[in-house]
């Protein structure tokens, strides 16, 4: 297990879907609160592991019974770390011993548990240093455990019988507008990337490109596993991931031990990941006071990697969250977005044939023009710049120019978007086809072994046609050079291949 790059969960949150009846249930007599509403009595802020704790559990059971709920879903689970207030000693197994056959990974978002198991989870939360989660029946019932033995219960019914029972247990229920622990996303506007078919296709492509990558599977706050992925292992690892896990794809982090140790910062929080001789991958989060101890654990490791725990540093290649088996993303937590994730969000909104506006950012030496369309660099290949001939892309566009183009394709796997500038322009070739039979005069632009090219329009980007050697004037004095003016007849326009055939010999007929 290791600490993860997630936010502490025990902070006031403003829920958007508040149940109509919410109660704060505590062992603290409201009469013992001071003028600021803070409890000033003698009750300790820890669990007694006895009758008071039992009363809390009986109260939860009473509200669940009044609401008609017999199963609860685990939401946003956390293990140790951020849930530790330091008031009680650690609990072996985070209070989850024998509750889940799959071990801690069974304590995942969306797992349905009977009320009896839900009560054991509430007990672990009341003991301060075990597991934490929201327990919910969506739109019907919620149980949240907060600081200092504060319990918040929400229901879609008034639960009068449960209220009477709670008071009889010596506890104090108080009506609230909402629980301070109702879920609210870190960024309501952020669209979370799901681990859907596009994600797995991109992962396969990335593994092929890098030969191997690492997949970090975060199945709960402060709970993760690392997997080394190759083309042969991706599907096996995929089948073993905990439901609704957050996934982060990293490049091959592991280096030799000396290099990894040298990468440790002078201070700060880092995650050290290492692969043992047996192939087992282990990780731990440490700060500068623990570096020496963790270095001693690396003896015999095949390879080691160091990842910063600070936001914005050492970002993975891309991230996602596992949807449910029906393809719907119901997990509410969000991964920290990478540049690739932001590109995904933009690409997901694009469609083939869509017309977009962007700014030319660069023209590559090989001719491809790159265009910024809302933060993503799309590309225009040379043939898509113009219907008309040109020598270099800079003859058509310039860096900093705003252009309007059509989306030719959206490649979600390689994250590429080819554009066409000419697709939004009128195709002049049907008009050119009507010139067959005309006699025109123009300069020779190129001489080849099989003929010469002549520009047939009086403009720099005018169309050019080929005068095949068989259609040239064969008189001895007719020596042609680039720049010479020829009078030619347009004898054919091939619209499919965009070619114009000319004849010097027929121009005189």
């Amino acid at each position: 297990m290791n600490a993860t790059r997630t936010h502490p969960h025990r902070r006031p949150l403003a829920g958007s879907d508040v149940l109509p009846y919410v109660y704060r249930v505590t062992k603290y007599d409201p009469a013992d609160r001071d003028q600021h509403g803070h409890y000033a009595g003698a009750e300790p802020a820890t669990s007694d592991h006895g009758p008071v704790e039992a009363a809390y559990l009986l109260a939860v059971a009473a509200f669940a019974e009044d609401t008609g709920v017999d199963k609860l879903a685990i939401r946003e689970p956390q293990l140790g770390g951020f849930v530790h207030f330091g008031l009680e000693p650690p609990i072996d197994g985070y209070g989850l011993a024998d509750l889940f056959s799959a071990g801690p990974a069974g304590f995942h978002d969306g797992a349905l548990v009977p009320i009896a198991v839900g009560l054991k989870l509430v007990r672990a939360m009341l003991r301060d240093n075990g597991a934490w989660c929201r327990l919910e029946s969506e739109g019907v019932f919620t149980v949240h455990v907060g600081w200092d033995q504060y319990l918040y219960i929400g229901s879609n019914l008034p639960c009068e019988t449960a209220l009477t029972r709670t008071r009889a247990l010596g506890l104090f229920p108080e009506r609230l507008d909402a629980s301070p622990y109702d879920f609210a996303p870190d960024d309501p506007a952020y669209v979370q990337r799901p681990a859907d078919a596009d994600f797995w296709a991109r992962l396969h492509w990335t593994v092929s490109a890098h030969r191997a990558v690492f997949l970090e599977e975060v199945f709960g706050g402060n709970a993760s596993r690392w997997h080394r992925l190759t083309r042969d292992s991706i599907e096996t690892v995929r089948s073993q991931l905990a439901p609704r896990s957050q996934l982060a794809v990293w490049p091959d982090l592991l280096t030799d031990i000396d290099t990894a140790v040298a990468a440790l910062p002078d201070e700060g929080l880092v995650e050290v990941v290492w692969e043992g001789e047996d192939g087992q991958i282990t990780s731990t989060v440490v700060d500068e006071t623990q570096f020496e101890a963790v270095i001693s654990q690396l003896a015999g490791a095949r390879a080691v990697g160091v990842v910063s725990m600070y936001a914005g540093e050492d970002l993975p290649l891309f991230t996602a969250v596992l949807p449910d088996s029906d393809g719907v993303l119901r997990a509410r937590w969000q991964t920290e977005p990478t540049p690739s994730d932001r590109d995904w969000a933009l690409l997901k909104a694009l469609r083939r044939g869509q017309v977009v506006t962007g700014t030319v950012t660069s023209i590559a030496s090989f001719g491809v023009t790159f265009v910024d369309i809302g933060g993503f660099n799309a590309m225009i290949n040379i043939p898509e710049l113009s219907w008309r001939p040109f020598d270099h892309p800079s003859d058509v566009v310039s860096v900093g120019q705003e252009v309007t183009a059509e989306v030719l394709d959206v490649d979600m796997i390689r994250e590429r978007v080819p554009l066409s500038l000419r697709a939004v322009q009128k195709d002049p070739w049907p008009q050119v086809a009507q010139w067959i039979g005309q006699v025109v005069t123009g300069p020779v632009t190129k001489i080849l072994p099989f003929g010469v090219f002549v520009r047939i329009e009086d403009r720099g980007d005018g169309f050019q046609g080929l005068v095949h050697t068989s259609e040239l004037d064969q008189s001895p004095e007719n020596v042609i050079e680039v720049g010479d003016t020829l009078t030619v007849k347009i004898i054919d326009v091939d619209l499919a291949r965009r070619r114009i055939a000319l004849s010097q010999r027929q121009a005189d007929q």
Side-chain angles (χ1 to χ4, degrees):
M1 304 300 172
N2 64 280
T4 59
R5 284 158 288 279
T6 57
H7 298 286
H9 64 272
R10 297 199 185 208
R11 59 189 175 95
L13 298 170
S16 57
D17 299 316
V18 178
L19 291 169
Y21 300 96
V22 178
Y23 302 97
R24 178 172 61 194
V25 176
T26 73
K27 59 184 178 179
Y28 309 117
D29 190 334
D32 292 330
R33 291 200 176 99
D34 62 22
Q35 59 181 347
H36 302 293
H38 301 142
Y39 179 70
E43 283 286 346
T46 57
S47 173
D48 66 345
H49 296 223
V52 176
E53 180 182 273
Y56 274 112
L57 302 185
L58 289 171
V60 173
F63 276 95
E65 183 178 358
D66 259 15
T67 308
V69 170
D70 60 1
K71 285 186 175 63
L72 293 173
I74 293 168
R75 303 308 308 268
E76 295 79 49
Q78 308 271 328
L79 291 180
F82 290 135
V83 300
H84 176 36
F85 307 144
L87 300 178
E88 295 199 26
I91 298 176
D92 289 340
Y94 305 101
L96 303 178
D98 302 324
L99 292 185
F100 302 95
S101 58
F107 179 60
H108 63 77
D109 189 85
L112 278 177
V113 297
I115 289 296
V117 173
L119 294 178
K120 291 180 180 179
L121 291 172
V122 171
R123 181 176 63 192
M125 290 186 268
L126 288 170
R127 293 185 181 182
D128 176 45
N129 195 26
W132 191 92
C133 66
R134 295 178 179 88
L135 291 168
E136 300 180 0
S137 177
E138 186 175 0
V140 177
F141 188 72
T142 60
V143 180
H144 305 151
V145 179
W147 292 81
D148 300 336
Q149 306 287 287
Y150 279 77
L151 186 65
Y152 300 89
I153 301 176
S155 176
N156 64 344
L157 299 174
C159 300
E160 296 294 344
T161 301
L163 287 170
T164 300
R165 174 66 172 148
T166 298
R167 295 186 184 100
L169 290 166
L171 302 176
F172 300 92
E174 301 168 81
R175 180 79 180 270
L176 300 178
D177 292 331
S179 165
Y181 293 88
D182 283 334
F183 178 82
D186 294 324
D187 180 1
Y190 177 60
V191 179
Q192 175 58 55
R193 185 177 191 169
D196 56 9
D198 285 340
F199 171 87
W200 292 105
R202 176 158 179 78
L203 183 55
H204 275 276
W205 179 80
T206 303
V207 169
S208 296
H210 290 259
R211 296 172 59 179
V213 299
F214 279 83
L215 181 70
E216 183 183 14
E217 171 199 5
V218 180
F219 55 88
N222 199 43
S224 72
R225 297 183 293 199
W226 288 75
H227 311 274
R228 194 164 194 261
L229 300 183
T230 63
R231 283 181 293 180
D232 296 332
S233 67
I234 291 179
E235 292 306 315
T236 299
V237 171
R238 180 181 178 181
S239 67
Q240 297 170 351
L241 296 173
R244 300 190 183 180
S245 291
Q246 302 172 64
L247 306 178
V249 179
W250 296 85
D252 203 338
L253 297 174
L254 303 185
T255 63
D256 64 84
I257 296 175
D258 291 340
T259 302
V261 170
L264 290 170
D266 293 333
E267 60 180 16
L269 202 61
V270 297
E271 183 168 6
V272 181
V273 184
W274 68 93
E275 184 179 25
E277 292 182 351
D278 59 357
Q280 182 71 30
I281 300 173
T282 306
S283 68
T284 185
V285 174
V286 292
D287 61 20
E288 64 276 6
T289 65
Q290 302 163 303
F291 287 170
E292 186 174 342
V294 76
I295 290 173
S296 68
Q297 298 180 51
L298 303 181
R302 287 181 180 174
V304 185
V306 177
V307 180
S308 172
M309 291 293 291
Y310 295 102
E313 298 182 7
D314 292 339
L315 288 175
L317 299 174
F318 52 98
T319 68
V321 174
L322 278 174
D324 291 347
S325 58
D326 59 1
V328 178
L329 182 60
R330 295 186 178 87
R332 301 181 297 205
W333 44 31
Q334 299 172 342
T335 57
E336 182 181 348
T338 68
S340 175
D341 297 335
R342 295 187 181 95
D343 288 345
W344 167 85
L346 189 148
L347 266 57
K348 199 71 174 174
L350 292 178
R351 294 290 181 270
R352 182 180 298 178
Q354 182 178 345
V355 176
V356 296
T357 299
T359 302
V360 177
T361 58
S362 64
I363 301 174
S365 58
F366 50 88
V368 172
T369 300
F370 292 96
V371 180
D372 182 340
I373 52 170
F376 179 84
N377 258 351
M379 60 185 182
I380 305 177
N381 288 316
I382 289 178
E384 297 299 333
L385 280 169
S386 177
W387 292 105
R388 293 185 168 276
F390 55 89
D391 294 326
H392 189 272
S394 59
D395 296 336
V396 182
V397 294
S398 57
V399 173
Q401 178 183 346
E402 185 176 275
V403 296
T404 299
E406 181 179 304
V407 175
L408 295 180
D409 191 22
V410 181
D411 188 337
M412 299 298 293
I413 297 174
R414 293 171 177 80
E415 293 184 354
R416 294 177 183 172
V417 177
L419 303 177
S420 174
L421 202 59
R422 73 178 190 175
V424 298
Q425 303 166 351
K426 184 178 180 180
D427 184 355
W429 279 90
Q431 179 66 33
V432 174
Q434 297 179 22
W435 299 348
I436 295 175
Q438 293 186 19
V439 175
V440 296
T441 299
V444 173
T445 60
K446 188 182 299 185
I447 299 176
L448 298 171
F450 51 83
V452 300
F453 279 90
V454 177
R455 183 182 300 124
I456 62 174
E457 288 184 290
D458 187 17
R459 51 188 291 175
D461 61 352
F463 286 110
Q464 302 176 42
L466 173 68
V467 185
H468 193 269
T469 52
S470 62
E471 295 294 335
L472 287 171
D473 183 350
Q474 301 296 325
S475 59
E477 66 275 10
N478 189 26
V479 178
I480 300 174
E481 295 181 354
V482 171
D484 289 351
T485 299
L486 293 186
T487 299
V488 296
K489 182 177 184 179
I490 301 171
I491 59 175
D492 188 41
V493 176
D494 187 337
L495 291 178
R497 295 190 294 174
R498 308 284 175 169
R499 293 179 180 177
I500 302 171
L502 307 175
S503 173
Q504 184 186 33
R505 296 175 61 183
Q506 295 182 43
D508 297 331
Q509 299 176 3

